[in-house]
Amino acid sequence: QVQVVESGGALVQAGGSLRLSCAASGRIFSINDMGWYRQAPGKQRELVAGITADGSTNYGYSVKGRFTVSRDNAKNTTYLQMNNLKPEDTAVYYCNFAILLQNGLYKPYRGRGTQVTVSS
């Protein structure tokens, strides 16, 4: 069984920084793409950042230049460094992994999310 767990969410003042982590555990052969998404109350889920197995990254327009995604393959973990946070960054942040299982199939896994609240 595979588990994906986010951590690091908190209440922070505008202009501050946070570092989110997301780790996968269980019967994992490897992880392909890793992605961060967020959803604020009353809004659609949006892509925040993604990183491929070879380290290529992409970012949502609203976070470019402020957020940085990285990964540690040895730890099956991805990180989201968030700087210069704004009140509009307030949301539940989720990570999503494309995990290669021992049966040779890729399967998406998502965590339960971690709350980030930015006060003005």
Side-chain angles (χ1 to χ4, degrees), residues 18-19 38 44 52 54 56 67 78 80 85 96-97 115:
L18 279 177
R19 188 191 194 208
R38 67 186 182 187
Q44 288 188 334
T52 64
D54 65 1
S56 298
F67 292 9
T78 180
L80 185 67
L85 283 160
N96 191 78
F97 288 172
Q115 176 70 47

Side-chain angles (χ1 to χ4, degrees), residues 20-69:
L20 305 183
S21 300
C22 181
S25 61
R27 291 182 173 272
I28 298 168
F29 186 70
S30 67
I31 301 176
N32 194 356
D33 295 346
M34 297 178 173
W36 287 95
Y37 298 80
R38 67 186 182 187
Q39 187 163 21
K43 295 187 177 181
Q44 288 188 334
R45 190 177 72 163
E46 64 172 331
L47 172 70
V48 177
I51 184 166
T52 64
D54 65 1
S56 298
T57 59
N58 65 293
Y59 296 93
Y61 178 79
S62 62
V63 306
K64 278 183 179 178
R66 299 188 297 123
F67 292 9
T68 302
V69 62

Side-chain angles (χ1 to χ4, degrees), residues 64-120:
K64 278 183 179 178
R66 299 188 297 123
F67 292 9
T68 302
V69 62
S70 61
R71 62 190 287 166
D72 184 334
N73 292 327
K75 296 181 178 179
N76 291 329
T77 299
T78 180
Y79 304 97
L80 185 67
Q81 178 66 43
M82 306 186 294
N83 298 328
N84 190 23
L85 283 160
K86 303 176 181 180
E88 52 264 41
D89 294 318
T90 296
V92 178
Y93 284 70
Y94 302 90
C95 65
N96 191 78
F97 288 172
I99 295 177
L100 179 61
L101 304 178
Q102 290 183 340
N103 62 9
L105 298 176
Y106 277 101
K107 184 175 179 180
Y109 286 89
R110 191 180 85 167
R112 293 186 175 184
T114 185
Q115 176 70 47
V116 172
T117 303
V118 184
S119 63
S120 57

